[in-house]
Amino acid sequence: MQILIKGGRVVDPGNYNGMADILVEDGKIVKIREGKGTKAKGIRQKAEVRTIDATGKIVTPGLIDMHVHLREPGHEYKETIETGCLAAAAGGFTAICCMPNTNPVNDNSQVTKFILQRAMIADTVRVYPVAAISKGLEGTGLCEYGDLKDAGAVAISDDGRPVTDSQLMRRAMEYAKGFDLPVISHCEDLNLLAGGVVNEGAFATRMGLPGIPNACESVMVMRDIALSELTESPVHIAHVSTMESVRAIRAAKKRGVPVTAETAPHYFTLTEDDVGQYDTNAKMNPPLRSKKDREAVREGLADGTIDVIVTDHAPHSSIEKEVEFDKAENGIIGLETSVSLSLKLVEDGVLKINELVEKMSTNPAQILKLENGLRAGNPADITIIDPDRLYTINAENFYSLSRNTPFNGKEVKGKAILTMVGGKIVFEDKIR
Ligand SMILES: [Zn+2]
């Protein structure tokens, strides 16, 4: 069967930005007919063709979230690979990368293969495992990167924990470079963390909670930039939250260090004030920061210092969240809210729509060396966004097994309404 996506504005950074129709057949894009108000001229339709009217919609290459925590194996009550993939599809993502802090840890090819097998059964979005840097995430011995890559890992990271030993991080970068695997760094100095649970400053004092200074993140960002310079190995900085990190990455890029960076919607949308009255759904690591930091993150996105928007989707059950603030687990879910929250950057004039698509599709694909783009011959991984849809976020409707979001009840504008992976529609909004 053929699918014709008709009348939409196609935004494929570096390739095309304008009105076009896209014809999909046998899982691939077969033709793109450019031009305003096209009537699919030049596209010879077969009898069995489904037409999707994309008038007024934005059609993008499939969105990629390169920082997701699926909780399988080990914590399936929070999220399974199946439910995480459904949540991703509903959020407009055609591909996600899952972090290795499962139980068992994804530090060997068996676990990598298991994840891919479960993803194949789920049969919704593409899943690219990120394997561990160190065995058991313990920061002492390196994993077998060659085996992990052969099994399907696309990057390595000890995310959730920093690699404290600088010598081990140096060796990891050198070793990973040989296998062309990017290193994703969770930057945190555990000594500076010192039991902190919110951003350090007046807010923390007022709340009587121990604070986390910006330097807890930025000293490790600076170290990893130094190690990337030393080893000439690419490093990708995870979940940037502070002004100092943005400055350090900006300066490093200027002198040619192969560093890339990501941030998440909560860091450009919220501040520490949104912790409000000890809301554990606003507790994450790194923590929500000050207004100044939020501004710096937005500037970093605007000038290209921050390459990628991720969700850092971190499902937790109510057991872990409905407890005292300092005892609650870190992290929030994000797959089903990211597109709506990120579109606000376009409305606010921080990013142009093609720059947003760059950060949610083109750039992650480039960093991870994944096929991407709306070109004839490519797999039909396509997201359709309605930029004008107004709605209220309702966590009860999420496909994710978890509900830990600070955005429940928030009114937003814009939504992913159709997600296609390899020509198969894996999500379609009922309201059109
Ligand atoms: Zn992390």
Side-chain angles (χ1 to χ4, degrees):
M1 195 182 87
Q2 291 184 329
I3 299 175
L4 179 67
I5 301 169
K6 222 175 141 181
R9 178 179 168 195
V10 173
V11 180
D12 185 8
N15 184 29
Y16 188 71
N17 186 348
M19 306 298 286
D21 297 345
I22 299 177
L23 186 68
V24 172
E25 188 176 6
D26 297 331
K28 286 190 177 348
I29 295 168
V30 290
K31 194 171 180 89
I32 297 181
R33 153 94 185 160
E34 300 169 5
K36 204 172 181 181
T38 57
K39 286 190 185 129
K41 262 188 271 170
I43 291 180
R44 202 153 43 93
Q45 293 181 17
K46 288 187 180 169
E48 211 189 334
V49 57
R50 186 189 154 185
T51 303
I52 295 167
D53 180 12
T55 308
K57 313 292 190 285
I58 294 164
V59 183
T60 75
L63 304 182
I64 301 167
D65 185 350
M66 65 180 286
H67 193 143
V68 171
H69 297 272
L70 298 174
R71 299 303 193 185
E72 187 179 357
H75 302 105
E76 290 84 353
Y77 65 99
K78 301 183 190 205
E79 195 83 281
T80 64
I81 290 168
E82 188 187 3
T83 59
C85 286
L86 286 171
F93 296 99
T94 60
I96 53 177
C97 295
C98 57
M99 288 296 167
N101 60 341
T102 45
N103 185 19
V105 169
N106 182 14
D107 61 2
N108 65 79
S109 57
Q110 297 295 335
V111 179
T112 308
K113 284 177 189 160
F114 168 82
I115 292 166
L116 288 170
Q117 206 172 38
R118 303 298 289 183
M120 208 158 76
I121 295 166
D123 194 24
T124 36
V125 304
R126 300 182 199 276
V127 174
Y128 296 105
V130 175
I133 291 174
S134 70
K135 286 190 188 120
L137 305 174
E138 281 167 5
T140 47
L142 298 181
C143 302
E144 297 287 351
Y145 300 159
D147 282 359
L148 289 162
K149 182 164 182 172
D150 288 346
V154 295
I156 53 162
S157 180
D158 272 2
D159 185 61
R161 291 189 197 175
V163 176
T164 301
D165 181 337
S166 304
Q167 171 71 347
L168 191 83
M169 192 57 154
R170 174 190 181 169
R171 294 291 175 230
M173 285 186 187
E174 287 169 344
Y175 190 31
K177 193 185 177 189
F179 296 104
D180 210 12
L181 279 172
V183 178
I184 302 172
S185 181
H186 168 110
C187 290
E188 183 181 20
D189 183 314
L190 294 177
N191 293 312
L192 281 170
L193 178 73
V197 294
V198 287
N199 187 42
E200 184 172 289
F203 178 79
T205 309
R206 210 160 56 236
M207 302 296 278
L209 293 169
I212 306 169
N214 281 14
C216 180
E217 174 179 296
S218 59
V219 295
M220 288 295 258
V221 171
M222 292 173 200
R223 182 202 70 171
D224 287 343
I225 287 168
L227 292 177
S228 170
E229 260 178 314
L230 174 67
T231 60
E232 293 176 359
S233 174
V235 68
H236 178 77
I237 308 295
H239 42 59
V240 168
S241 73
T242 73
M243 181 179 72
E244 292 81 355
S245 300
V246 173
R247 281 181 184 163
I249 295 160
R250 183 179 289 129
K253 281 189 162 185
K254 211 165 259 173
R255 58 180 193 271
V257 183
V259 58
T260 53
E262 65 181 39
T263 191
H266 38 281
Y267 299 118
F268 59 72
T269 308
L270 305 176
T271 67
E272 55 190 338
D273 294 328
D274 291 293
V275 173
Q277 286 303 308
Y278 305 96
D279 180 7
T280 57
N281 283 331
K283 185 186 179 190
M284 68 279 296
N285 184 18
L288 295 174
R289 301 287 188 181
S290 68
K291 286 197 177 69
K292 216 167 67 181
D293 292 303
R294 180 176 63 181
E295 204 39 52
V297 166
R298 289 162 79 96
E299 279 167 22
L301 283 163
D303 73 6
T305 301
I306 299 175
D307 309 84
V308 177
I309 294 171
V310 301
T311 63
D312 197 0
H313 181 81
H316 289 298
S317 77
S318 57
I319 306 165
E320 288 109 3
K321 281 295 193 183
E322 287 170 17
V323 294
E324 293 89 335
F325 192 88
D326 55 335
K327 292 195 182 72
E329 292 266 11
N330 282 310
I332 64 168
I333 51 172
L335 285 169
E336 291 167 81
T337 50
S338 180
V339 165
S340 303
L341 295 167
S342 301
L343 280 166
K344 185 79 166 63
L345 293 172
V346 178
E347 187 162 311
D348 290 349
V350 176
L351 295 177
K352 296 194 182 79
I353 183 69
N354 59 307
E355 292 170 329
L356 181 68
V357 177
E358 245 169 48
K359 291 183 201 294
M360 297 186 77
S361 182
T362 324
N363 291 348
Q366 198 162 50
I367 291 163
L368 300 163
K369 301 167 191 79
L370 306 174
E371 208 168 10
N372 181 260
L374 300 174
R375 274 178 280 263
N378 274 5
D381 287 11
I382 299 169
T383 302
I384 303 180
I385 294 166
D386 180 350
D388 300 317
R389 167 80 72 80
L390 291 165
Y391 75 104
T392 306
I393 292 171
N394 181 356
E396 287 313 309
N397 297 337
F398 285 172
Y399 287 84
S400 170
L401 283 185
S402 290
R403 298 286 175 264
N404 52 312
T405 172
F407 298 112
N408 194 32
K410 187 178 170 70
E411 283 182 36
V412 287
K413 188 179 168 194
K415 191 178 185 301
I417 55 162
L418 188 140
T419 311
M420 182 187 287
V421 179
K424 181 182 154 193
I425 296 169
V426 293
F427 171 76
E428 194 170 3
D429 202 303
K430 303 282 177 293
I431 317 154
R432 294 291 300 279

Short mmCIF file of all heavy atoms in Angstrom, two decimals, residues 123 161 218 255 287 358 386:
data_model
loop_
_atom_site.label_atom_id
_atom_site.label_comp_id
_atom_site.label_asym_id
_atom_site.label_seq_id
_atom_site.Cartn_x
_atom_site.Cartn_y
_atom_site.Cartn_z
N ASP A 123 7.76 -3.55 18.44
CA ASP A 123 7.47 -3.20 17.04
C ASP A 123 6.78 -1.83 16.88
O ASP A 123 5.79 -1.72 16.19
CB ASP A 123 6.61 -4.32 16.43
CG ASP A 123 6.57 -4.21 14.89
OD1 ASP A 123 7.50 -3.62 14.33
OD2 ASP A 123 5.59 -4.70 14.30
N ARG A 161 25.14 8.17 36.79
CA ARG A 161 26.33 8.32 37.63
C ARG A 161 27.45 8.96 36.81
O ARG A 161 27.57 8.69 35.61
CB ARG A 161 26.83 6.94 38.08
CG ARG A 161 25.94 6.26 39.05
CD ARG A 161 26.66 5.02 39.57
NE ARG A 161 25.73 4.10 40.20
CZ ARG A 161 26.07 2.91 40.65
NH1 ARG A 161 27.32 2.48 40.50
NH2 ARG A 161 25.17 2.14 41.22
N SER A 218 29.40 21.87 36.32
CA SER A 218 30.34 22.50 35.38
C SER A 218 31.79 22.06 35.55
O SER A 218 32.53 22.02 34.58
CB SER A 218 30.22 24.02 35.45
OG SER A 218 30.48 24.48 36.75
N ARG A 255 37.15 26.64 19.95
CA ARG A 255 38.53 26.25 19.63
C ARG A 255 38.61 24.85 19.04
O ARG A 255 39.69 24.25 18.95
CB ARG A 255 39.44 26.41 20.86
CG ARG A 255 39.06 25.64 22.09
CD ARG A 255 40.07 25.90 23.23
NE ARG A 255 39.86 24.91 24.28
CZ ARG A 255 39.01 25.05 25.29
NH1 ARG A 255 38.30 26.16 25.42
NH2 ARG A 255 38.87 24.09 26.19
N PRO A 287 19.35 19.45 39.12
CA PRO A 287 18.09 20.04 39.57
C PRO A 287 17.65 21.20 38.68
O PRO A 287 18.44 21.71 37.89
CB PRO A 287 18.45 20.56 40.97
CG PRO A 287 19.90 20.92 40.86
CD PRO A 287 20.50 19.89 39.93
N GLU A 358 16.29 20.39 13.76
CA GLU A 358 17.71 20.03 13.83
C GLU A 358 18.04 19.41 15.18
O GLU A 358 18.69 18.38 15.27
CB GLU A 358 18.55 21.31 13.68
CG GLU A 358 19.41 21.38 12.43
CD GLU A 358 19.98 22.78 12.29
OE1 GLU A 358 20.52 23.35 13.27
OE2 GLU A 358 19.87 23.31 11.17
N ASP A 386 1.10 19.21 14.50
CA ASP A 386 0.13 20.29 14.37
C ASP A 386 0.61 21.42 15.26
O ASP A 386 0.52 21.33 16.48
CB ASP A 386 -1.26 19.81 14.79
CG ASP A 386 -2.30 20.90 14.66
OD1 ASP A 386 -1.92 22.07 14.43
OD2 ASP A 386 -3.50 20.59 14.79
#
